[in-house]
Amino acid sequence: GIKKRWSLSGSLVGYSIKLPSSAISILSRRPEVLLIEPESIIYNYDFSPINVPDDVAIQSNAGWGMARLAQRQQLKPVRNINKFVHNTMDGKGVKAYILDTGIYLEHSEFDPGRVTWGTTFVSTNPDERDSEQDLNGHGTHVAGIFGGKTYGIAKMSSIIAVKVLDQYGAGVVSDIMSGIEWATEQHLNDSLHNDGSYKGAIINLSLGLGKFSPALNHMIELCSHFDINIVVAAGNRNSDACFDSPASSPYVITVAATTAKDMIAPFSNHGGCVDIFAPGLYIPSAYNSGPYSTASGSGTSCSAPAIAGLIAYLLSLSPSAHSEFGSDQIMKPVEVKSRLKKFATRDALFGLPVNTTNLIGYTGGGYDWKGFYH
C-alpha cells in the first residue's frame, strides 16, 4: 500500500508505495505516470571526525575555511589564516533547513531559540522515527559550519533541524524527498506571511546516493520553482559529480572541497556539475558529545554548509527596496546561483581536473559585499 504521499502547494507530486513487480509493470505504462524508481539507501558524506579538546579556546580565531572565504588571496601562515572579517548582521532574516542526522540543539554554538527542531523522516531505524536527537554528530557539525556563533558563516540565521538520516548516517531517498517537500512548504508559508523581514530559505544536503536518482532530482526541480535555494555536497569519491544525486541536479548549487593550499581536496568529486568550491579539509565545528564538544572533519559535507552559510550571509545583507540595488522580492535561486558564481574568487585554485570550474566562494570580507548585488 501507500507509504508516503508528496504534494507541493496542493498539487500531487507522487507516492512511495509497495507493490508487486506485476503491478509496477502495469502502472509504468499509465500515461499519467512520469517515472517509477525503486527505493534506495542514501548516506551522509562522512567527515571523519577528529575530536578537539573542550578546553581549546578558539573564539577569537576563525577556522582557516572561514578565513579563506573572507578574502580573495591565498592564506598565509600567521598573517591571515585565522582572520574572519564579517558583517554583524550575517544571516539575519534567512532560514536554513539542515537535512541530516539532526542537530544537538543544546550545544553552546547555537544561541537559545535560533536553532529549532523541525521534523523527522527516518524509515531505516524504527527507534528513531520520532527522535529529536542527533545520535551521529554529522548534522550538528554541518549546522555549526553553516551558522554556529564561532564556527559558522551565517551567525544570525535561523536553523531548523530536519532529521532524514539515522544514527549511522544512512537514510532512504523517499525520506530525503519528504524532508525537501516539508522544508519547501515551510518556506512557502513564511513567504506568504512575509512582513519584509524574511530574506529567504536554504536547504543544505550534505549527503549523496552514489548514483543517479531521477526521482530525487525531479523533486528538487519542483521545489526550486518555489524560490528555495538548495545547496548540496559534490561527494567524496574523487569522481564525476554528474553521476551522483542530488549533486547532478542543475537546480542545486553543487559544492566541491579545497585544501588550505588552494588545491582540490583529494577525495572531492569534480566535473561539470560542480558550481563552486569551498574549504573542506580539517574543518572545525560543533559536535554532539556535549554542549562544548567540537570535532574537526574533512569532506564535501563541510564545504556545502560553508556555501549555504555564505548565501544566507549575502541574502541577509540585501539592500532595502528603496535603494539602488534593492527589491521587495525574495531573490530567485537561479539569480542567487548566478550572482554567487560571478562574485566568487576566480582562477585561484590549482590542479583541477578537466571540465571543473575554478571558483571559490567569497563573502566580501565584511565590507565589499555590495558587489554581489551589482
Side-chain angles (χ1 to χ4, degrees):
I2 295 173
K3 299 168 69 176
K4 300 183 182 79
R5 180 184 185 276
W6 300 299
S7 62
L8 286 169
S9 195
S11 299
L12 177 66
V13 173
Y15 296 103
S16 173
I17 188 168
K18 188 174 182 179
L19 292 173
S21 56
S22 57
I24 292 173
S25 178
I26 294 171
L27 191 62
S28 66
R29 293 194 290 270
R30 299 284 298 181
E32 61 265 42
V33 175
L34 177 65
L35 60 91
I36 297 177
E37 179 181 320
E39 184 68 283
S40 299
I41 300 293
I42 195 165
Y43 298 92
N44 64 33
Y45 281 125
D46 185 25
F47 58 84
S48 305
I50 305 168
N51 288 329
V52 177
D54 288 348
D55 60 353
V56 174
I58 59 172
Q59 180 69 46
S60 61
N61 298 317
W64 77 265
M66 297 168 65
R68 184 64 185 90
L69 292 179
Q71 51 200 292
R72 295 288 191 191
Q73 69 272 28
Q74 187 177 15
L75 295 178
K76 303 294 182 184
V78 180
R79 190 181 73 182
N80 60 2
I81 198 165
N82 296 118
K83 184 178 181 182
F84 178 62
V85 182
H86 64 100
N87 188 289
T88 56
M89 296 298 288
D90 41 7
K92 189 174 180 62
V94 180
K95 289 187 176 182
Y97 297 90
I98 308 297
L99 273 62
D100 214 290
T101 60
I103 301 174
Y104 179 31
L105 303 184
E106 292 77 22
H107 199 286
S108 60
E109 276 295 295
F110 310 124
D111 298 315
R114 191 166 64 87
V115 181
T116 58
W117 196 276
T119 188
T120 301
F121 298 102
V122 175
S123 300
T124 52
N125 185 352
D127 294 334
E128 293 188 71
R129 286 178 180 171
D130 298 315
S131 169
E132 294 189 359
Q133 290 181 297
D134 178 6
L135 302 177
N136 178 278
H138 189 273
T140 300
H141 194 269
V142 165
I145 294 170
F146 173 86
K149 64 183 182 182
T150 303
Y151 305 104
I153 303 294
K155 301 177 186 297
M156 297 289 288
S157 62
S158 298
I159 303 174
I160 300 95
V162 180
K163 182 168 179 169
V164 294
L165 303 176
D166 62 23
Q167 62 183 313
Y168 306 108
V172 294
V173 169
S174 60
D175 284 341
I176 309 303
M177 293 170 64
S178 294
I180 294 170
E181 176 204 33
W182 184 87
T184 302
E185 293 286 1
Q186 303 306 304
H187 166 65
L188 287 172
N189 184 63
D190 287 332
S191 299
L192 184 64
H193 300 95
N194 189 8
D195 60 1
S197 62
Y198 181 58
K199 299 292 185 72
I202 301 161
I203 294 173
N204 187 87
L205 298 171
S206 288
L207 48 80
L209 185 57
K211 63 181 180 180
F212 187 81
S213 169
L216 179 56
N217 282 16
H218 184 63
M219 174 64 83
I220 286 172
E221 178 183 354
L222 292 175
C223 291
S224 72
H225 297 323
F226 293 96
D227 297 340
I228 190 166
N229 300 282
I230 303 176
V231 180
V232 310
N236 300 337
R237 299 171 182 267
N238 185 24
S239 61
D240 193 335
C242 292
F243 295 116
D244 197 355
S245 287
S248 55
S249 170
Y251 297 93
V252 304
I253 295 171
T254 299
V255 189
T258 64
T259 72
K261 294 183 177 180
D262 283 352
M263 303 284 289
I264 184 172
F267 52 77
S268 180
N269 282 3
H270 43 77
C273 289
V274 169
D275 293 299
I276 199 166
F277 281 83
L281 190 66
Y282 303 122
I283 305 299
S285 186
Y287 206 49
N288 71 333
S289 55
Y292 301 98
S293 61
T294 59
S296 179
S298 299
T300 55
S301 274
C302 302
S303 307
I307 292 298
L310 169 56
I311 293 170
Y313 176 86
L314 293 170
L315 289 179
S316 71
L317 301 176
S318 59
S320 69
H322 306 293
S323 72
E324 180 182 358
F325 308 109
S327 171
D328 57 0
Q329 301 295 317
I330 292 175
M331 192 179 295
K332 294 186 177 298
V334 65
E335 186 177 1
V336 171
K337 186 174 184 176
S338 175
R339 288 175 181 263
L340 179 74
K341 295 171 76 170
K342 183 179 179 181
F343 192 50
T345 299
R346 187 175 299 274
D347 298 329
L349 305 176
F350 304 96
L352 295 182
V354 176
N355 195 32
T356 301
T357 189
N358 196 326
L359 298 173
I360 186 167
Y362 180 54
T363 66
Y367 57 89
D368 67 346
W369 51 267
K370 290 182 180 179
F372 179 76
Y373 293 97
H374 280 276

